[in-house]
Amino acid sequence: MRAHRAGPVALAMLAALSAGCGGGAAVPAAQKVALPASPSGGGKPLAGKTVVLDPGHNGGNASHPKEINRQVDIITGRKACNTTGTETGDGYPEHAFTWDVAGRLKPILESLGAKVVLTRPDDKGVGPCVTERAAIGNEARADAVLSIHGDGATPGGHGFHVIMPGLLRGHNDDVVKPSARLGRDIRDAYRDGTGMPYATYTAKNGLDTRTDLGGLNLSKRPAVFIECGNMRNKGDAAKMSDPAFRERMATALADGLKRFLG
């Protein structure tokens, strides 16, 4: 993630985004995955739940610096509307990684009965700004918001971590505790499902709390970021560049959301 006013988002935009792939690159087809049965032994364990998936960055950001460098208010300060993201040493970009993982995760969640909304419809556009991404989750009245990223830390560091919102009194008081529970569920399921270790270079036991991320600061719904690995580390990059391993990541994230929402 680290190579990093809008008004209310129209419901029409939200509906278009929830459709997923219209007008751009197709969402990657998910392989068939064996999913755990619901506690009752049948039915859809996430029926009636809405999940917003936020694939970090976008494929057109790099060619539109004016748009993405525009400063927006994130409560604790002003930051760029969006960023280009990082990439592996072999040039696999974060925006493509996050789009692929979200595309694999979406049908798994839908098979469990969830309604899934994406914050961007393809990997060719620009933005949306972090303020708009948060607004999409708020307007959808999401039961959980998951922002998917790959980190761009020092090459010697490896592993994953989950970022949760810090308390901003008067702004996110009601979602800090459920977001922390969501963060723990995502962390535990991701480690169980992928075998990846907690980040060696940041966070503590795979968890971090921050107040400098607009997508978290502005969310009125339970929300977390996951840095799925360090794209600048050769070992992590090899996993993140492997379609089969991205499928494992998506399945693990689905399990984490199911633990939180089930």
Side-chain angles (χ1 to χ4, degrees), residues 77-177:
R78 297 184 70 80
K79 293 185 74 171
C81 159
N82 208 253
T83 62
T84 59
T86 187
E87 64 182 14
T88 68
D90 291 333
Y92 181 47
E94 182 184 0
H95 64 79
F97 166 78
T98 66
W99 178 246
D100 184 275
V101 173
R104 295 172 186 275
L105 177 54
K106 183 176 185 284
I108 300 174
L109 295 173
E110 289 173 336
S111 74
L112 294 171
K115 174 184 177 182
V116 180
V117 177
L118 296 173
T119 60
R120 55 183 174 105
D122 55 50
D123 195 36
K124 297 180 179 179
V126 181
C129 291
V130 293
T131 49
E132 295 172 287
R133 292 174 189 245
I136 289 168
N138 294 341
E139 291 190 15
R141 299 189 61 80
D143 296 288
V145 179
L146 177 62
S147 190
I148 302 167
H149 289 267
D151 214 351
T154 176
H158 66 277
F160 80 95
H161 67 287
V162 177
I163 306 170
M164 306 170 297
L167 177 63
L168 300 174
R169 295 196 181 279
H171 295 281
N172 64 356
D173 308 65
D174 294 337
V175 297
V176 168
K177 287 186 177 180

Side-chain angles (χ1 to χ4, degrees), residues 135-220:
I136 289 168
N138 294 341
E139 291 190 15
R141 299 189 61 80
D143 296 288
V145 179
L146 177 62
S147 190
I148 302 167
H149 289 267
D151 214 351
T154 176
H158 66 277
F160 80 95
H161 67 287
V162 177
I163 306 170
M164 306 170 297
L167 177 63
L168 300 174
R169 295 196 181 279
H171 295 281
N172 64 356
D173 308 65
D174 294 337
V175 297
V176 168
K177 287 186 177 180
S179 294
R181 184 164 65 84
L182 172 61
R184 291 191 296 271
D185 286 339
I186 291 291
R187 177 200 63 179
D188 293 347
Y190 191 79
R191 189 179 190 190
D192 290 346
T194 67
M196 291 187 71
Y198 301 146
T200 60
Y201 59 93
T202 191
K204 182 178 181 180
N205 295 325
L207 295 175
D208 197 7
T209 300
R210 289 171 58 176
T211 58
D212 64 325
L213 298 173
L216 295 183
N217 289 1
L218 297 167
S219 181
K220 303 297 183 182

